[in-house]
Amino acid sequence: MFFEQTPWHVPWMARTLDQVVEVAGRFPERTLFTRFIPPARADAMPGKWQDYYEKWEMMTASRLPHELMLLIDPLQRFVPPARIFDKLTYSPWTDGRLHRNLVQEGIDTLVISGGETDVCVLAGALGAIELGYGIIVLKDAVCSGDDDAHEAALTLLERRFSVQSEIMTVEEFLSAR
């Protein structure tokens, strides 16, 4: 729904896709996809989420073609062994499933890619930091529909959360492994 021509289309997602594929391809057994799935209807969500989906009614699951809620083709080939955690909000931490799984596996650092840097990526990164994880954000494997907000989110993570986060390129990350 973000890759295709929808109201939520992120034009430069296509420019970061190769980097995401490169990392997932190197570590498919350690890859987790957090997939944003909108509710069927606005009234299925609590509080201000109802207002949000009343505004974006055309982006609810009952109105979108099912295939727009699937992982895009180059990423789907990594599942399995990669796993998918669906989420109804920006943060993948809200329902607790992701955190429980990572704790059981002894994971303490997360490498983050995806979109949008200033929305879902930021929510995921801040939630991870709150839960005690270290994070590495791959700056050439994250994207946004708003260049200024993208840069601001990366700057925020780099400046304000420098003890818990690192910002690096895919090449820097892979060459260190």
Side-chain angles (χ1 to χ4, degrees):
M1 75 185 81
F2 302 101
F3 194 73
E4 300 298 331
Q5 293 297 321
T6 71
W8 288 352
H9 177 66
V10 179
W12 55 287
M13 186 176 272
R15 293 192 320 230
T16 61
L17 184 58
D18 288 345
Q19 290 87 314
V20 175
V21 168
E22 178 69 23
V23 174
R26 296 265 188 111
F27 310 102
E29 70 287 347
R30 294 175 18 201
T31 297
L32 301 171
F33 295 107
T34 58
R35 178 174 55 184
F36 185 80
I37 300 291
R41 296 173 324 283
D43 63 5
M45 294 295 284
K48 294 304 279 183
W49 280 106
Q50 287 184 15
D51 295 342
Y52 181 83
Y53 281 109
E54 285 171 6
K55 175 182 176 180
W56 296 105
E57 181 183 2
M58 76 293 290
M59 296 303 292
T60 57
S62 63
R63 304 281 299 276
L64 279 174
H66 176 73
E67 59 272 9
L68 290 183
M69 291 180 273
L70 302 174
L71 287 181
I72 56 178
D73 227 5
L75 301 178
Q76 185 62 49
R77 72 175 183 238
F78 300 118
V79 179
R83 294 173 286 159
I84 301 171
F85 284 82
D86 289 341
K87 59 189 185 123
L88 294 171
T89 62
Y90 305 136
S91 174
W93 307 107
T94 305
D95 68 10
R97 289 178 308 116
L98 179 58
H99 180 55
R100 281 191 301 276
N101 275 270
L102 294 174
V103 167
Q104 288 173 354
E105 295 172 21
I107 305 298
D108 62 4
T109 302
L110 305 175
V111 178
I112 299 174
S113 66
E116 289 192 64
T117 313
D118 48 314
V119 184
C120 293
V121 169
L122 183 60
L126 291 176
I129 290 168
E130 285 290 314
L131 291 167
Y133 296 96
I135 63 166
I136 299 168
V137 177
L138 302 175
K139 66 183 175 183
D140 55 345
V142 293
C143 62
S144 175
D146 183 325
D147 292 350
D148 292 337
H150 163 83
E151 290 299 328
L154 290 176
T155 298
L156 173 73
L157 290 168
E158 189 168 43
R159 289 186 186 167
R160 301 295 294 194
F161 301 97
S162 61
V163 171
Q164 300 104 330
S165 69
E166 293 180 68
I167 311 297
M168 63 178 63
T169 66
V170 168
E171 183 179 329
E172 290 167 335
F173 171 71
L174 292 175
S175 68
R177 299 303 170 269

